[in-house]
Amino acid sequence: GRRLTPEMCGAVGITAVAAAVALAGGRNFPLAIGLWLVLAARAVATIPFVRAQIFRLRRGTGPTKVSDMWQLAGVAVAAVAVVVDRSLLVGALGIVALTVAQYAWIRRPPIPAKVLGKRQMAIGFALVAVTAIGVGLLG
């Protein structure tokens, strides 16, 4: 099985590409760091959730406490993003909405892994879109 720490580090590390793209596009440093933080918040909240769902799918039941703690950590990271650049407020609210949804989903019967993956991909695209819209409106 995979371990949480390397999986989390890899995901958070790759989200730094958003900062590099923003800087390459001429955006300011605080916005670039904040974009990285919003995407990192999603990874922090989602990876433990998905791991718990897959565990529950295979074994029928499982603990939810670890997923819940990481949901709160994701919200905290998103809050830091707003402190760094206020134009990321809409993206941070997207993280809050994701947290509420995942908090409810973890308490329902697990869905097939294929459906879970497609749902998470759609949520990721939606988060990028709402964050971009927020930066466009507030930036």
Side-chain angles (χ1 to χ4, degrees), residues 5 31 41 49 52 59 77 103 105-106:
T5 302
L31 177 63
F49 165 78
R59 301 223 168 89
V77 172
Y103 184 85
W105 292 335
I106 198 77

PDB file of all heavy atoms in Angstrom, residues 5 31 41 49 52 59 77 103 105-106:
ATOM      1  N   THR A   5       2.159  10.175   3.684  1.00  0.00           N
ATOM      2  CA  THR A   5       3.110  11.291   3.605  1.00  0.00           C
ATOM      3  C   THR A   5       3.714  11.467   2.210  1.00  0.00           C
ATOM      4  O   THR A   5       3.665  12.582   1.665  1.00  0.00           O
ATOM      5  CB  THR A   5       4.212  11.134   4.668  1.00  0.00           C
ATOM      6  OG1 THR A   5       3.587  11.078   5.951  1.00  0.00           O
ATOM      7  CG2 THR A   5       5.184  12.293   4.622  1.00  0.00           C
ATOM      8  N   LEU A  31       0.055  36.453  -5.387  1.00  0.00           N
ATOM      9  CA  LEU A  31      -0.982  35.699  -6.087  1.00  0.00           C
ATOM     10  C   LEU A  31      -0.467  34.306  -6.445  1.00  0.00           C
ATOM     11  O   LEU A  31      -1.179  33.309  -6.278  1.00  0.00           O
ATOM     12  CB  LEU A  31      -1.453  36.424  -7.352  1.00  0.00           C
ATOM     13  CG  LEU A  31      -2.486  35.656  -8.184  1.00  0.00           C
ATOM     14  CD1 LEU A  31      -3.773  35.435  -7.390  1.00  0.00           C
ATOM     15  CD2 LEU A  31      -2.762  36.374  -9.488  1.00  0.00           C
ATOM     16  N   ALA A  41      -4.363  23.093  -0.715  1.00  0.00           N
ATOM     17  CA  ALA A  41      -5.473  22.865   0.213  1.00  0.00           C
ATOM     18  C   ALA A  41      -6.392  21.767  -0.304  1.00  0.00           C
ATOM     19  O   ALA A  41      -6.860  20.913   0.458  1.00  0.00           O
ATOM     20  CB  ALA A  41      -6.260  24.159   0.427  1.00  0.00           C
ATOM     21  N   PHE A  49      -9.306  11.811   2.204  1.00  0.00           N
ATOM     22  CA  PHE A  49     -10.705  11.453   1.960  1.00  0.00           C
ATOM     23  C   PHE A  49     -10.793  10.287   0.974  1.00  0.00           C
ATOM     24  O   PHE A  49     -11.484   9.301   1.214  1.00  0.00           O
ATOM     25  CB  PHE A  49     -11.477  12.662   1.423  1.00  0.00           C
ATOM     26  CG  PHE A  49     -12.798  12.314   0.829  1.00  0.00           C
ATOM     27  CD1 PHE A  49     -13.889  12.040   1.643  1.00  0.00           C
ATOM     28  CD2 PHE A  49     -12.967  12.239  -0.547  1.00  0.00           C
ATOM     29  CE1 PHE A  49     -15.117  11.700   1.090  1.00  0.00           C
ATOM     30  CE2 PHE A  49     -14.178  11.900  -1.104  1.00  0.00           C
ATOM     31  CZ  PHE A  49     -15.263  11.628  -0.276  1.00  0.00           C
ATOM     32  N   ALA A  52      -9.590   7.074   2.497  1.00  0.00           N
ATOM     33  CA  ALA A  52     -10.591   6.507   3.414  1.00  0.00           C
ATOM     34  C   ALA A  52     -11.736   5.868   2.638  1.00  0.00           C
ATOM     35  O   ALA A  52     -12.226   4.789   3.013  1.00  0.00           O
ATOM     36  CB  ALA A  52     -11.116   7.595   4.350  1.00  0.00           C
ATOM     37  N   ARG A  59     -13.207  -2.721   2.471  1.00  0.00           N
ATOM     38  CA  ARG A  59     -13.451  -3.412   3.743  1.00  0.00           C
ATOM     39  C   ARG A  59     -14.864  -3.225   4.281  1.00  0.00           C
ATOM     40  O   ARG A  59     -15.205  -3.805   5.304  1.00  0.00           O
ATOM     41  CB  ARG A  59     -12.450  -2.922   4.774  1.00  0.00           C
ATOM     42  CG  ARG A  59     -11.026  -3.186   4.300  1.00  0.00           C
ATOM     43  CD  ARG A  59     -10.158  -3.718   5.402  1.00  0.00           C
ATOM     44  NE  ARG A  59      -8.897  -4.216   4.871  1.00  0.00           N
ATOM     45  CZ  ARG A  59      -7.812  -3.480   4.706  1.00  0.00           C
ATOM     46  NH1 ARG A  59      -7.819  -2.219   5.023  1.00  0.00           N
ATOM     47  NH2 ARG A  59      -6.711  -4.035   4.236  1.00  0.00           N
ATOM     48  N   VAL A  77      -5.326  25.844   5.219  1.00  0.00           N
ATOM     49  CA  VAL A  77      -4.398  26.222   4.148  1.00  0.00           C
ATOM     50  C   VAL A  77      -5.074  27.212   3.194  1.00  0.00           C
ATOM     51  O   VAL A  77      -4.463  28.191   2.764  1.00  0.00           O
ATOM     52  CB  VAL A  77      -3.878  24.973   3.398  1.00  0.00           C
ATOM     53  CG1 VAL A  77      -3.063  25.367   2.170  1.00  0.00           C
ATOM     54  CG2 VAL A  77      -3.045  24.101   4.327  1.00  0.00           C
ATOM     55  N   TYR A 103     -17.167  15.878   3.925  1.00  0.00           N
ATOM     56  CA  TYR A 103     -17.564  15.507   5.280  1.00  0.00           C
ATOM     57  C   TYR A 103     -18.861  14.690   5.233  1.00  0.00           C
ATOM     58  O   TYR A 103     -19.001  13.704   5.958  1.00  0.00           O
ATOM     59  CB  TYR A 103     -17.749  16.768   6.130  1.00  0.00           C
ATOM     60  CG  TYR A 103     -18.069  16.470   7.573  1.00  0.00           C
ATOM     61  CD1 TYR A 103     -17.051  16.219   8.483  1.00  0.00           C
ATOM     62  CD2 TYR A 103     -19.379  16.445   8.029  1.00  0.00           C
ATOM     63  CE1 TYR A 103     -17.332  15.934   9.814  1.00  0.00           C
ATOM     64  CE2 TYR A 103     -19.670  16.162   9.356  1.00  0.00           C
ATOM     65  CZ  TYR A 103     -18.654  15.920  10.237  1.00  0.00           C
ATOM     66  OH  TYR A 103     -18.947  15.631  11.550  1.00  0.00           O
ATOM     67  N   TRP A 105     -20.045  13.036   2.419  1.00  0.00           N
ATOM     68  CA  TRP A 105     -19.829  11.828   1.604  1.00  0.00           C
ATOM     69  C   TRP A 105     -19.138  10.718   2.380  1.00  0.00           C
ATOM     70  O   TRP A 105     -19.414   9.549   2.147  1.00  0.00           O
ATOM     71  CB  TRP A 105     -19.036  12.157   0.353  1.00  0.00           C
ATOM     72  CG  TRP A 105     -19.763  13.002  -0.638  1.00  0.00           C
ATOM     73  CD1 TRP A 105     -21.118  13.113  -0.797  1.00  0.00           C
ATOM     74  CD2 TRP A 105     -19.178  13.854  -1.611  1.00  0.00           C
ATOM     75  NE1 TRP A 105     -21.402  13.993  -1.805  1.00  0.00           N
ATOM     76  CE2 TRP A 105     -20.236  14.468  -2.326  1.00  0.00           C
ATOM     77  CE3 TRP A 105     -17.875  14.179  -1.949  1.00  0.00           C
ATOM     78  CZ2 TRP A 105     -20.024  15.362  -3.359  1.00  0.00           C
ATOM     79  CZ3 TRP A 105     -17.664  15.077  -2.980  1.00  0.00           C
ATOM     80  CH2 TRP A 105     -18.731  15.660  -3.675  1.00  0.00           C
ATOM     81  N   ILE A 106     -18.233  11.086   3.293  1.00  0.00           N
ATOM     82  CA  ILE A 106     -17.492  10.053   4.019  1.00  0.00           C
ATOM     83  C   ILE A 106     -18.424   9.291   4.965  1.00  0.00           C
ATOM     84  O   ILE A 106     -18.103   8.195   5.411  1.00  0.00           O
ATOM     85  CB  ILE A 106     -16.277  10.657   4.779  1.00  0.00           C
ATOM     86  CG1 ILE A 106     -15.262   9.590   5.171  1.00  0.00           C
ATOM     87  CG2 ILE A 106     -16.712  11.407   6.018  1.00  0.00           C
ATOM     88  CD1 ILE A 106     -14.398   9.117   4.087  1.00  0.00           C
TER      89      ILE A 106
END
